[in-house]
Amino acid sequence: MQKKLTTLLGMALAVTSVFAQAELFKPYKETTLRLPAVPIVVNDPYFSIWSPYDQLTEGSTRLWTNDEKPLEGLLRVDGTAYRFMGDKEHKVLKAIAPMSDEAAWEGQYTETKQTDGWQKPDFNADGWQKGRAAFGNAGDNIRTGWSKEHSHIYIRREINLTADDLKGDLYALYSHDDACELYINGTQVATGRMDAVFNESVRLSAEQKQLLHEGRNVMALHVYNNGGGAYADFGLYANVGIENKSVKTAQQQDVDVMATQTYYTFGCGPVTLNVVFTSPMLIDDLDLLSIPVSYISYQVKSNDRKKHDVQMMLMASPLIATNKPHQPTESTVVSAQGTKYLKTGTIDQPILAKKGDGIGIDWGYLYLSEINGRVALDSYNNIMAGFTANGQLTAGQQQVRAYKQTDTPVLAYVHNFGKVDQQPQSSFTLIGYDEVQDIEYMYQRYKAYWAHGGKVSIFDAFDKLSRNYLDIMQRCRQQDKQIYDDALTVGNVEYAEILSGVYRHVLAAHKLFEDSEGHLLYFSKENNSNGCVNTVDLTYPEAPLFLKYNTDLQKAMMTSIFEYSRSGRWTKPFAAHDLGTYPIANGQVYGGDMPLEEAGNMLTLAAQLCLQDGNIDYVKPYWDIMTQWTDYLVENGQDPSNQLCTDDFAGHWPHNCNLSVKAIMGVAGYAIMARMKGDNATADRYMNRARQMAKKWEADAREGDHYKLAFDRQNTWSQKYNMIWDKLWNTNLFGSEVMQREVSYYLKQQNQYGLPLDIRKDYTKTDWIMWSAAMANDKDTFLQFVSPIYKYMNETGSRVPTSDWHDTKTGLMIGFKARSVLGGYWMRLLTK
């Protein structure tokens, strides 16, 4: 068996060497766009690891939530180790004053707005209330309620410290929803942006450490709740990890991001290292799209014409399989189908027990494969000592149970290249995550599509990717080429780099599965918004990517909404907003309906699908439902009442002109489908109604050289992106003149980082900019809207998976990240 395994490994290495000559380690195109966060290993809302830095060595890799999910990489050259991935400091935090997810704590608080001085140790807090953390209304461990929108909370916490507590590196950790300031003994030490962020950390500088002393100290947190969820928690921690000063930092020379692959190049002394992170998310292959396994490919060569002794090591932390760092984990060595794996997960395994936004998974298992190398499970110190000393792994342990973070081991993989000269040598390994159960839909639990109802195991998935490495990598390169070239054809290099950079971003916000009735279902998670699953007003803006490349996935987002109404569980005369809170999809949980919004969204998308299919087979089972929705639009869409819609960030106004456009296009979409059905009388009736509505709209909304935000509001404007369907369908309800009048006006309203959403604020939604820009008649005009978005992505200080909601003057995010709505960036391609 060992001989056979050795032969297979040799064949795999030979294959990779051949493919290396075919430029495996060169991107299809070099890119210059500096993404706000770089995709490393991404698959779905839980297995989604990013680097929010320019350099891969600037800090730890992270989940899109910003929680640390450490992957580390070292290359040893002639006995000297170079770090090419991960933080130079191996951070292991031990609580001095723990946050509420680890231990309960009590403090004083008030919701009365305070003047300066409240945060100082000698402040008299008489009259403040006592409460237990965490404070808020949305998140784990809420013990003290605080929820009022546009309100403040001020919290003081006393902590007593010893001399030992003050030794070494100290970190303040804090969670906030939304913006915050954190103080130690009256001095501000951290600021939190206007967002929901959990377990944010700041390493105290030498000066900040001097703020602390033995005995009584006061930590204080002020949080402002802008709206929706509210949360506040904080604590003090000591780093008991180590910084291995013998390890040098590799010099990053390049990073290029294509649709399915991220390419890094490093200088490690006299050796050049190339690393490629590949998530084989091919949009036309449902198995590969959903398989939660990724490639890490690597290549080395001498750059001084001499031979060098080279070993490469990857390390993964059990923290990747936890929601909170203090959760007990179990890590083991397992074998399957002749291959050894390192496996790690929480001891408790609360399968599908958590739902909500801003959380990580704490069920299922992370796997690191030995394919093309050796693996070992051991303490960080032991692994590092063995590798830096001789390039090898320790014998390790077969099982490690860690009940606190200080006991957490690492999963390590080593490939020994031996002597390396100027002829490149390359190989790969695989990392993956099995969630065991992935989603609950209408009270039944399902595994993701790739498992085919449990017939395919995670080890089968690893084996498939290993055996088909060359073929899959070639197909990934072809996908990269298609995404880039298609964008270049209708845009320019900036547009091509944007679409290449966000492709995995969009797909990784979804989960693909098949229900017990054979329906293909593709559920989004409303990341960093409210955590809803399969939200219709995410399905709508993200649609262009899927309408362009795979309409089966677009249908898979919509089918469950149709079925929800057809089943009788949803009885209102318009479409539901969502199906629950991810990953539990048992019915709508959103507090307020969005009647015109969601009905218009579903009807418009259904019409586009029928046009692309050339028939109405998909919507036939739902015809009565669509008729009801359309009649609702006819009755209520001309002049909308005070309804919620997707653009209500500055408050919802009645008489919303863009919402009216959505209703009109929904009615027209129904007429188109009726025509395809052969019911010309119905088609004529509804299309004539849509034309009447559009004519009245144009008269009521017109305000000189543009159209108003709301029919009753003078001197206003907003983006009318919903008109794009009039152009796509050539229905001429509004006509090119109306659209071009709007586009010309938009160009006058742009700021440095894009076109605002409307007159009320400087912030924008970039998905809607791309829709509005696609209304332009020519490429040059379209690109005038693209360029500020490129500039925003390239320069923003908000280092998160691209936020779709940012300030057009500062370039900073307002909220939202890692959301699927960036699929809307493909609208220009859909119109062409």
Side-chain angles (χ1 to χ4, degrees):
M1 182 64 188
Q2 183 61 41
K3 182 177 180 180
K4 180 180 179 182
L5 181 59
T6 302
T7 302
L8 288 173
L9 290 175
M11 291 172 63
L13 288 171
V15 166
T16 58
S17 295
V18 170
F19 194 48
Q21 297 172 12
E23 299 187 328
L24 164 64
F25 292 91
K26 293 182 180 180
Y28 169 65
K29 293 288 185 179
E30 293 184 354
T31 61
T32 58
L33 175 60
R34 184 231 66 177
L35 285 170
V38 179
I40 303 298
V41 176
V42 298
N43 177 263
D44 64 29
Y46 287 138
F47 193 39
S48 181
I49 301 175
W50 302 72
S51 174
Y53 307 104
D54 292 341
Q55 306 289 317
L56 192 53
T57 53
E58 281 186 61
S60 176
T61 53
R62 296 172 180 268
L63 185 64
W64 64 263
T65 61
N66 202 44
D67 289 304
E68 293 187 7
K69 303 294 178 183
L71 290 172
E72 299 181 56
L74 286 86
L75 192 76
R76 185 175 179 272
V77 180
D78 298 330
T80 299
Y82 298 84
R83 182 180 304 279
F84 65 84
M85 176 168 59
D87 201 330
K88 66 179 181 179
E89 177 186 61
H90 183 70
K91 189 164 64 178
V92 178
L93 297 182
K94 178 181 178 182
I96 296 174
M99 294 173 70
S100 65
D101 57 6
E102 190 170 350
W105 63 268
E106 186 177 76
Q108 290 179 287
Y109 76 99
T110 183
E111 296 182 43
T112 302
K113 194 166 185 179
Q114 298 293 302
T115 57
D116 190 50
W118 70 273
Q119 69 273 48
K120 295 181 179 179
D122 57 358
F123 176 76
N124 184 355
D126 289 347
W128 286 34
Q129 299 180 73
K130 289 185 178 180
R132 300 180 68 203
F135 302 78
N137 70 346
D140 292 340
N141 312 303
I142 298 292
R143 295 182 176 91
T144 301
W146 166 58
S147 61
K148 186 178 179 182
E149 293 190 359
H150 309 300
S151 67
H152 301 258
I153 191 169
Y154 301 81
I155 308 165
R156 292 168 55 87
R157 178 182 186 181
E158 293 190 4
I159 58 175
N160 286 289
L161 303 178
T162 67
D164 286 341
D165 290 333
L166 297 171
K167 294 178 180 178
D169 290 329
L170 297 180
Y171 282 79
L173 266 62
Y174 54 109
S175 297
H176 54 96
D177 186 0
D178 295 292
C180 77
E181 300 96 34
L182 180 67
Y183 301 86
I184 291 178
N185 287 328
T187 298
Q188 187 171 337
V189 296
T191 301
R193 63 183 179 273
M194 186 71 75
D195 193 11
V197 180
F198 297 89
N199 295 316
E200 194 159 6
S201 66
V202 57
R203 183 182 182 181
L204 300 185
S205 66
E207 292 78 10
Q208 290 171 332
K209 278 188 64 178
Q210 293 298 316
L211 299 171
L212 295 164
H213 49 77
E214 291 185 60
R216 175 184 176 271
N217 296 263
V218 173
M219 294 185 71
L221 182 70
H222 165 219
V223 182
Y224 171 69
N225 176 29
N226 190 46
Y231 196 87
D233 193 10
F234 55 101
L236 185 67
Y237 291 75
N239 180 22
V240 296
I242 64 167
E243 177 182 343
N244 195 322
K245 296 184 179 180
S246 67
V247 176
K248 296 185 176 181
T249 300
Q251 299 303 303
Q252 184 175 307
Q253 298 171 352
D254 197 16
V255 57
D256 300 282
V257 180
M258 303 305 295
T260 66
Q261 306 185 87
T262 299
Y263 297 79
Y264 281 98
T265 301
F266 302 94
C268 301
V271 168
T272 297
L273 167 68
N274 292 288
V275 182
V276 183
F277 298 96
T278 306
S279 295
M281 305 176 81
L282 304 181
I283 202 163
D284 61 351
D285 187 320
L286 300 184
D287 275 318
L288 287 178
L289 179 68
S290 62
I291 283 179
V293 180
S294 292
Y295 295 108
I296 303 177
S297 306
Y298 44 90
Q299 174 184 268
V300 293
K301 65 177 181 178
S302 169
N303 54 39
D304 66 358
R305 297 181 177 273
K306 299 178 182 178
K307 290 186 177 182
H308 300 280
D309 188 50
V310 177
Q311 298 83 34
M312 194 277 297
M313 181 169 71
L314 295 169
M315 291 182 287
S317 170
L319 293 180
I320 296 172
T322 67
N323 179 41
K324 300 296 182 183
H326 67 270
Q327 288 182 280
T329 59
E330 181 175 52
S331 306
T332 57
V333 180
V334 299
S335 292
Q337 303 174 7
T339 301
K340 186 183 294 183
Y341 298 87
L342 302 180
K343 172 185 176 183
T344 188
T346 62
I347 293 175
D348 291 337
Q349 286 297 301
I351 296 174
L352 292 173
K354 287 185 176 64
K355 60 181 180 179
D357 195 17
I359 62 174
I361 194 168
D362 57 4
W363 67 88
Y365 299 95
L366 176 74
Y367 291 88
L368 183 62
S369 159
E370 75 162 357
I371 293 170
N372 298 329
R374 288 189 61 243
V375 293
L377 175 68
D378 210 336
S379 70
Y380 180 83
N381 289 353
N382 287 346
I383 292 293
M384 286 295 293
F387 182 75
T388 54
N390 53 36
Q392 297 180 8
L393 292 173
T394 62
Q397 304 177 55
Q398 291 299 304
Q399 180 184 51
V400 178
R401 282 197 161 200
Y403 294 97
K404 52 184 183 293
Q405 192 183 349
T406 50
D407 299 330
T408 301
V410 294
L411 287 62
Y413 166 93
V414 165
H415 178 94
N416 186 359
F417 284 102
K419 295 296 182 180
V420 172
D421 56 21
Q422 59 266 35
Q423 183 65 36
Q425 294 187 39
S426 61
S427 193
F428 71 92
T429 192
L430 294 162
I431 186 170
Y433 201 103
D434 183 8
E435 295 185 12
V436 182
Q437 297 288 343
D438 297 77
I439 205 119
E440 182 176 304
Y441 171 56
M442 296 307 163
Y443 304 99
Q444 292 189 52
R445 292 185 170 188
Y446 295 95
K447 286 188 70 68
Y449 182 88
W450 65 270
H452 294 282
K455 297 176 183 177
V456 177
S457 72
I458 190 66
F459 304 114
D460 294 330
F462 271 95
D463 183 60
K464 175 180 179 177
L465 265 64
S466 178
R467 286 185 292 103
N468 297 286
Y469 175 71
L470 176 58
D471 175 65
I472 292 172
M473 294 297 282
Q474 289 173 330
R475 291 172 64 193
C476 286
R477 189 175 183 84
Q478 187 60 37
Q479 181 79 81
D480 295 348
K481 180 179 186 300
Q482 181 180 26
I483 296 297
Y484 188 96
D485 286 354
D486 284 355
L488 190 63
T489 299
V490 303
N492 61 4
V493 169
E494 287 187 345
Y495 187 50
E497 290 189 5
I498 289 173
L499 296 198
S500 297
V502 303
Y503 174 85
R504 274 173 287 169
H505 171 126
V506 177
L507 299 183
H510 294 87
K511 176 64 67 176
L512 182 69
F513 68 104
E514 193 174 61
D515 74 3
S516 58
E517 297 181 15
H519 297 122
L520 182 69
L521 301 176
Y522 195 44
F523 285 178
S524 62
K525 178 180 181 184
E526 200 166 341
N527 288 337
N528 200 223
S529 178
N530 64 4
C532 277
V533 58
N534 208 31
T535 301
V536 174
D537 53 291
L538 265 68
T539 296
Y540 181 69
E542 69 175 300
L545 170 62
F546 302 99
L547 291 170
K548 170 65 180 173
Y549 292 118
N550 191 340
T551 56
D552 285 343
L553 292 173
Q554 185 62 49
K555 293 171 184 174
M557 292 183 240
M558 298 169 61
T559 297
S560 58
I561 300 295
F562 279 129
E563 288 291 322
Y564 188 29
S565 285
R566 190 165 74 149
S567 72
R569 290 186 292 266
W570 179 259
T571 59
K572 297 179 182 181
F574 43 81
H577 168 272
D578 63 84
L579 287 179
T581 303
Y582 193 92
I584 308 300
N586 293 329
Q588 178 171 310
V589 295
Y590 194 59
D593 293 326
M594 301 172 73
L596 292 172
E597 177 72 42
E598 310 303 22
N601 290 342
M602 289 292 290
L603 287 163
T604 303
L605 293 174
Q608 180 66 22
L609 284 167
C610 290
L611 285 168
Q612 291 185 219
D613 286 348
N615 59 66
I616 64 163
D617 291 349
Y618 171 63
V619 300
K620 276 182 180 178
Y622 315 117
W623 194 261
D624 290 345
I625 294 167
M626 293 198 307
T627 302
Q628 184 184 43
W629 293 351
T630 305
D631 288 341
Y632 183 89
L633 297 183
V634 169
E635 184 176 348
N636 299 278
Q638 181 72 70
D639 186 4
S641 61
N642 196 19
Q643 290 194 9
L644 286 169
C645 78
T646 197
D647 295 341
D648 287 339
F649 302 100
H652 46 278
W653 284 4
H655 319 296
N656 186 300
C657 295
N658 191 40
L659 188 58
S660 179
V661 174
K662 187 188 294 285
I664 294 167
M665 295 315 303
V667 174
Y670 179 79
I672 289 170
M673 291 184 283
R675 183 86 60 198
M676 297 178 73
K677 187 172 182 268
D679 187 350
N680 289 330
T682 297
D684 289 343
R685 185 167 72 253
Y686 282 96
M687 188 59 78
N688 287 336
R689 184 68 183 112
R691 292 193 186 283
Q692 293 168 5
M693 294 172 75
K695 184 177 181 180
K696 180 172 174 51
W697 184 98
E698 206 277 340
D700 292 347
R702 180 75 178 267
E703 190 170 39
D705 59 351
H706 68 282
Y707 297 88
K708 292 179 278 190
L709 165 60
F711 293 119
D712 64 336
R713 303 274 184 153
Q714 303 301 313
N715 302 313
T716 62
W717 68 271
S718 66
Q719 292 188 45
K720 309 300 189 305
Y721 53 82
N722 287 308
M723 278 187 192
I724 190 63
W725 304 106
D726 196 31
K727 179 178 181 179
L728 271 162
W729 299 342
N730 198 29
T731 41
N732 200 33
L733 298 175
F734 298 95
S736 179
E737 181 181 342
V738 172
M739 272 183 268
Q740 297 322 305
R741 184 176 291 119
E742 279 289 275
V743 168
S744 296
Y745 187 80
Y746 297 160
L747 288 173
K748 302 173 186 175
Q749 311 307 316
Q750 287 206 109
N751 292 321
Q752 181 178 11
Y753 295 111
L755 173 68
L757 184 61
D758 58 46
I759 193 174
R760 292 176 290 181
K761 298 285 184 179
D762 290 327
Y763 55 58
T764 192
K765 292 285 276 78
T766 52
D767 46 333
W768 298 139
I769 292 178
M770 288 292 198
W771 280 48
S772 296
M775 296 194 301
N777 281 334
D778 61 276
K779 182 193 291 188
D780 289 343
T781 302
F782 166 74
L783 292 175
Q784 289 184 62
F785 293 99
V786 172
S787 184
I789 296 177
Y790 186 94
K791 183 177 177 64
Y792 152 65
M793 294 174 69
N794 198 54
E795 297 179 2
T796 179
S798 301
R799 304 308 300 269
V800 300
T802 303
S803 170
D804 55 281
W805 182 18
H806 75 270
D807 189 291
T808 60
K809 290 184 176 179
T810 68
L812 297 176
M813 69 179 287
I814 302 299
F816 301 166
K817 57 191 174 189
R819 299 205 323 154
S820 62
V821 299
L822 299 196
Y825 289 9
W826 272 261
M827 182 54 89
R828 168 76 175 177
L829 272 162
L830 188 62
T831 62
K832 294 299 175 181

